[in-house]
Amino acid sequence: FRAAGRLTRAEILRLHAATRSVLAAAIEACGTTFSDFQDAHGLTGAYQRFLAVYERDGEACPRCGRAVRGRTQAQ
């Protein structure tokens, strides 16, 4: 939740690599479908299977076991 200008170079590189990795996986899975969206071929996205904390406020984090705390960023 820090301003981008306060990140170290190492943090920026880690964030960049993680962003590319997540986007590549999401594209491979045809995105995330929460309702009835279908692409031009009639396929729905399957990436929601990999969402670890989305809409899981108060539940245990699958990585560390602590309770997930919901936050709203930029609206």
PDB file of all heavy atoms in Angstrom, residues 10-27 47 63:
ATOM      1  N   ALA A  10      14.667  -3.517  -6.193  1.00  0.00           N
ATOM      2  CA  ALA A  10      14.436  -4.959  -6.046  1.00  0.00           C
ATOM      3  C   ALA A  10      12.940  -5.251  -5.937  1.00  0.00           C
ATOM      4  O   ALA A  10      12.442  -6.228  -6.522  1.00  0.00           O
ATOM      5  CB  ALA A  10      15.170  -5.495  -4.829  1.00  0.00           C
ATOM      6  N   GLU A  11      12.200  -4.425  -5.206  1.00  0.00           N
ATOM      7  CA  GLU A  11      10.753  -4.621  -5.074  1.00  0.00           C
ATOM      8  C   GLU A  11      10.047  -4.413  -6.409  1.00  0.00           C
ATOM      9  O   GLU A  11       9.117  -5.152  -6.755  1.00  0.00           O
ATOM     10  CB  GLU A  11      10.177  -3.674  -4.023  1.00  0.00           C
ATOM     11  CG  GLU A  11      10.571  -4.039  -2.609  1.00  0.00           C
ATOM     12  CD  GLU A  11      10.185  -2.985  -1.598  1.00  0.00           C
ATOM     13  OE1 GLU A  11      10.245  -1.773  -1.921  1.00  0.00           O
ATOM     14  OE2 GLU A  11       9.831  -3.371  -0.471  1.00  0.00           O
ATOM     15  N   ILE A  12      10.496  -3.424  -7.162  1.00  0.00           N
ATOM     16  CA  ILE A  12       9.913  -3.158  -8.478  1.00  0.00           C
ATOM     17  C   ILE A  12      10.140  -4.351  -9.397  1.00  0.00           C
ATOM     18  O   ILE A  12       9.224  -4.802 -10.101  1.00  0.00           O
ATOM     19  CB  ILE A  12      10.500  -1.872  -9.095  1.00  0.00           C
ATOM     20  CG1 ILE A  12      10.024  -0.652  -8.305  1.00  0.00           C
ATOM     21  CG2 ILE A  12      10.132  -1.746 -10.568  1.00  0.00           C
ATOM     22  CD1 ILE A  12      10.762   0.628  -8.638  1.00  0.00           C
ATOM     23  N   LEU A  13      11.337  -4.894  -9.393  1.00  0.00           N
ATOM     24  CA  LEU A  13      11.643  -6.050 -10.244  1.00  0.00           C
ATOM     25  C   LEU A  13      10.814  -7.270  -9.836  1.00  0.00           C
ATOM     26  O   LEU A  13      10.302  -7.988 -10.697  1.00  0.00           O
ATOM     27  CB  LEU A  13      13.136  -6.366 -10.190  1.00  0.00           C
ATOM     28  CG  LEU A  13      14.044  -5.316 -10.826  1.00  0.00           C
ATOM     29  CD1 LEU A  13      15.510  -5.649 -10.581  1.00  0.00           C
ATOM     30  CD2 LEU A  13      13.758  -5.184 -12.320  1.00  0.00           C
ATOM     31  N   ARG A  14      10.657  -7.506  -8.532  1.00  0.00           N
ATOM     32  CA  ARG A  14       9.831  -8.618  -8.049  1.00  0.00           C
ATOM     33  C   ARG A  14       8.371  -8.424  -8.427  1.00  0.00           C
ATOM     34  O   ARG A  14       7.697  -9.363  -8.867  1.00  0.00           O
ATOM     35  CB  ARG A  14       9.951  -8.757  -6.529  1.00  0.00           C
ATOM     36  CG  ARG A  14      11.005  -9.729  -6.109  1.00  0.00           C
ATOM     37  CD  ARG A  14      10.963 -10.165  -4.652  1.00  0.00           C
ATOM     38  NE  ARG A  14       9.951  -9.615  -3.796  1.00  0.00           N
ATOM     39  CZ  ARG A  14      10.163  -8.752  -2.804  1.00  0.00           C
ATOM     40  NH1 ARG A  14      11.373  -8.321  -2.546  1.00  0.00           N
ATOM     41  NH2 ARG A  14       9.181  -8.327  -2.052  1.00  0.00           N
ATOM     42  N   LEU A  15       7.875  -7.200  -8.261  1.00  0.00           N
ATOM     43  CA  LEU A  15       6.491  -6.894  -8.601  1.00  0.00           C
ATOM     44  C   LEU A  15       6.252  -7.072 -10.099  1.00  0.00           C
ATOM     45  O   LEU A  15       5.250  -7.648 -10.525  1.00  0.00           O
ATOM     46  CB  LEU A  15       6.142  -5.469  -8.166  1.00  0.00           C
ATOM     47  CG  LEU A  15       4.725  -4.988  -8.458  1.00  0.00           C
ATOM     48  CD1 LEU A  15       3.688  -5.870  -7.779  1.00  0.00           C
ATOM     49  CD2 LEU A  15       4.572  -3.535  -8.005  1.00  0.00           C
ATOM     50  N   HIS A  16       7.192  -6.618 -10.911  1.00  0.00           N
ATOM     51  CA  HIS A  16       7.086  -6.750 -12.361  1.00  0.00           C
ATOM     52  C   HIS A  16       7.042  -8.220 -12.769  1.00  0.00           C
ATOM     53  O   HIS A  16       6.175  -8.640 -13.553  1.00  0.00           O
ATOM     54  CB  HIS A  16       8.266  -6.036 -13.033  1.00  0.00           C
ATOM     55  CG  HIS A  16       8.250  -6.160 -14.524  1.00  0.00           C
ATOM     56  ND1 HIS A  16       9.080  -7.007 -15.200  1.00  0.00           N
ATOM     57  CD2 HIS A  16       7.494  -5.538 -15.453  1.00  0.00           C
ATOM     58  CE1 HIS A  16       8.843  -6.914 -16.495  1.00  0.00           C
ATOM     59  NE2 HIS A  16       7.886  -6.025 -16.673  1.00  0.00           N
ATOM     60  N   ALA A  17       7.924  -9.025 -12.220  1.00  0.00           N
ATOM     61  CA  ALA A  17       7.955 -10.454 -12.544  1.00  0.00           C
ATOM     62  C   ALA A  17       6.666 -11.142 -12.106  1.00  0.00           C
ATOM     63  O   ALA A  17       6.099 -11.963 -12.847  1.00  0.00           O
ATOM     64  CB  ALA A  17       9.165 -11.119 -11.897  1.00  0.00           C
ATOM     65  N   ALA A  18       6.186 -10.817 -10.910  1.00  0.00           N
ATOM     66  CA  ALA A  18       4.953 -11.432 -10.409  1.00  0.00           C
ATOM     67  C   ALA A  18       3.759 -11.021 -11.263  1.00  0.00           C
ATOM     68  O   ALA A  18       2.893 -11.854 -11.575  1.00  0.00           O
ATOM     69  CB  ALA A  18       4.732 -11.046  -8.948  1.00  0.00           C
ATOM     70  N   THR A  19       3.696  -9.757 -11.660  1.00  0.00           N
ATOM     71  CA  THR A  19       2.595  -9.268 -12.488  1.00  0.00           C
ATOM     72  C   THR A  19       2.566  -9.987 -13.825  1.00  0.00           C
ATOM     73  O   THR A  19       1.513 -10.445 -14.287  1.00  0.00           O
ATOM     74  CB  THR A  19       2.704  -7.747 -12.694  1.00  0.00           C
ATOM     75  OG1 THR A  19       2.670  -7.102 -11.420  1.00  0.00           O
ATOM     76  CG2 THR A  19       1.584  -7.209 -13.568  1.00  0.00           C
ATOM     77  N   ARG A  20       3.720 -10.128 -14.455  1.00  0.00           N
ATOM     78  CA  ARG A  20       3.810 -10.829 -15.740  1.00  0.00           C
ATOM     79  C   ARG A  20       3.380 -12.292 -15.602  1.00  0.00           C
ATOM     80  O   ARG A  20       2.669 -12.824 -16.446  1.00  0.00           O
ATOM     81  CB  ARG A  20       5.210 -10.728 -16.321  1.00  0.00           C
ATOM     82  CG  ARG A  20       5.557  -9.331 -16.830  1.00  0.00           C
ATOM     83  CD  ARG A  20       6.957  -9.296 -17.413  1.00  0.00           C
ATOM     84  NE  ARG A  20       7.122 -10.262 -18.480  1.00  0.00           N
ATOM     85  CZ  ARG A  20       7.060  -9.990 -19.776  1.00  0.00           C
ATOM     86  NH1 ARG A  20       6.833  -8.756 -20.167  1.00  0.00           N
ATOM     87  NH2 ARG A  20       7.241 -10.927 -20.671  1.00  0.00           N
ATOM     88  N   SER A  21       3.804 -12.920 -14.521  1.00  0.00           N
ATOM     89  CA  SER A  21       3.465 -14.323 -14.286  1.00  0.00           C
ATOM     90  C   SER A  21       1.965 -14.509 -14.102  1.00  0.00           C
ATOM     91  O   SER A  21       1.350 -15.403 -14.700  1.00  0.00           O
ATOM     92  CB  SER A  21       4.227 -14.824 -13.053  1.00  0.00           C
ATOM     93  OG  SER A  21       3.839 -16.129 -12.724  1.00  0.00           O
ATOM     94  N   VAL A  22       1.350 -13.661 -13.278  1.00  0.00           N
ATOM     95  CA  VAL A  22      -0.092 -13.764 -13.026  1.00  0.00           C
ATOM     96  C   VAL A  22      -0.871 -13.464 -14.303  1.00  0.00           C
ATOM     97  O   VAL A  22      -1.830 -14.179 -14.632  1.00  0.00           O
ATOM     98  CB  VAL A  22      -0.520 -12.830 -11.876  1.00  0.00           C
ATOM     99  CG1 VAL A  22      -2.036 -12.709 -11.795  1.00  0.00           C
ATOM    100  CG2 VAL A  22       0.053 -13.320 -10.565  1.00  0.00           C
ATOM    101  N   LEU A  23      -0.470 -12.439 -15.033  1.00  0.00           N
ATOM    102  CA  LEU A  23      -1.187 -12.109 -16.273  1.00  0.00           C
ATOM    103  C   LEU A  23      -1.074 -13.227 -17.299  1.00  0.00           C
ATOM    104  O   LEU A  23      -2.058 -13.569 -17.964  1.00  0.00           O
ATOM    105  CB  LEU A  23      -0.672 -10.794 -16.861  1.00  0.00           C
ATOM    106  CG  LEU A  23      -1.123  -9.541 -16.127  1.00  0.00           C
ATOM    107  CD1 LEU A  23      -0.438  -8.307 -16.723  1.00  0.00           C
ATOM    108  CD2 LEU A  23      -2.626  -9.383 -16.180  1.00  0.00           C
ATOM    109  N   ALA A  24       0.092 -13.826 -17.428  1.00  0.00           N
ATOM    110  CA  ALA A  24       0.272 -14.934 -18.372  1.00  0.00           C
ATOM    111  C   ALA A  24      -0.622 -16.109 -17.993  1.00  0.00           C
ATOM    112  O   ALA A  24      -1.277 -16.719 -18.855  1.00  0.00           O
ATOM    113  CB  ALA A  24       1.734 -15.367 -18.415  1.00  0.00           C
ATOM    114  N   ALA A  25      -0.672 -16.443 -16.705  1.00  0.00           N
ATOM    115  CA  ALA A  25      -1.524 -17.547 -16.248  1.00  0.00           C
ATOM    116  C   ALA A  25      -3.001 -17.225 -16.471  1.00  0.00           C
ATOM    117  O   ALA A  25      -3.778 -18.095 -16.885  1.00  0.00           O
ATOM    118  CB  ALA A  25      -1.257 -17.845 -14.776  1.00  0.00           C
ATOM    119  N   ALA A  26      -3.399 -15.990 -16.209  1.00  0.00           N
ATOM    120  CA  ALA A  26      -4.799 -15.591 -16.393  1.00  0.00           C
ATOM    121  C   ALA A  26      -5.192 -15.637 -17.869  1.00  0.00           C
ATOM    122  O   ALA A  26      -6.287 -16.101 -18.218  1.00  0.00           O
ATOM    123  CB  ALA A  26      -5.033 -14.199 -15.818  1.00  0.00           C
ATOM    124  N   ILE A  27      -4.309 -15.193 -18.737  1.00  0.00           N
ATOM    125  CA  ILE A  27      -4.586 -15.241 -20.180  1.00  0.00           C
ATOM    126  C   ILE A  27      -4.689 -16.689 -20.645  1.00  0.00           C
ATOM    127  O   ILE A  27      -5.589 -17.053 -21.403  1.00  0.00           O
ATOM    128  CB  ILE A  27      -3.509 -14.466 -20.966  1.00  0.00           C
ATOM    129  CG1 ILE A  27      -3.657 -12.969 -20.696  1.00  0.00           C
ATOM    130  CG2 ILE A  27      -3.597 -14.771 -22.459  1.00  0.00           C
ATOM    131  CD1 ILE A  27      -2.485 -12.129 -21.160  1.00  0.00           C
ATOM    132  N   TYR A  47      -9.793 -18.777 -14.676  1.00  0.00           N
ATOM    133  CA  TYR A  47      -8.752 -18.361 -13.734  1.00  0.00           C
ATOM    134  C   TYR A  47      -9.271 -18.184 -12.316  1.00  0.00           C
ATOM    135  O   TYR A  47      -8.492 -18.225 -11.366  1.00  0.00           O
ATOM    136  CB  TYR A  47      -8.065 -17.075 -14.217  1.00  0.00           C
ATOM    137  CG  TYR A  47      -6.805 -16.773 -13.446  1.00  0.00           C
ATOM    138  CD1 TYR A  47      -5.675 -17.556 -13.609  1.00  0.00           C
ATOM    139  CD2 TYR A  47      -6.755 -15.731 -12.538  1.00  0.00           C
ATOM    140  CE1 TYR A  47      -4.523 -17.307 -12.891  1.00  0.00           C
ATOM    141  CE2 TYR A  47      -5.600 -15.468 -11.810  1.00  0.00           C
ATOM    142  CZ  TYR A  47      -4.489 -16.263 -12.001  1.00  0.00           C
ATOM    143  OH  TYR A  47      -3.351 -16.026 -11.280  1.00  0.00           O
ATOM    144  N   ARG A  63      -1.906 -19.621   2.275  1.00  0.00           N
ATOM    145  CA  ARG A  63      -0.445 -19.687   2.368  1.00  0.00           C
ATOM    146  C   ARG A  63       0.049 -19.629   3.806  1.00  0.00           C
ATOM    147  O   ARG A  63       0.880 -20.425   4.204  1.00  0.00           O
ATOM    148  CB  ARG A  63       0.192 -18.565   1.541  1.00  0.00           C
ATOM    149  CG  ARG A  63       1.697 -18.674   1.510  1.00  0.00           C
ATOM    150  CD  ARG A  63       2.370 -17.812   0.486  1.00  0.00           C
ATOM    151  NE  ARG A  63       1.832 -16.472   0.408  1.00  0.00           N
ATOM    152  CZ  ARG A  63       2.369 -15.522  -0.316  1.00  0.00           C
ATOM    153  NH1 ARG A  63       3.444 -15.759  -1.028  1.00  0.00           N
ATOM    154  NH2 ARG A  63       1.840 -14.319  -0.352  1.00  0.00           N
TER     155      ARG A  63
END
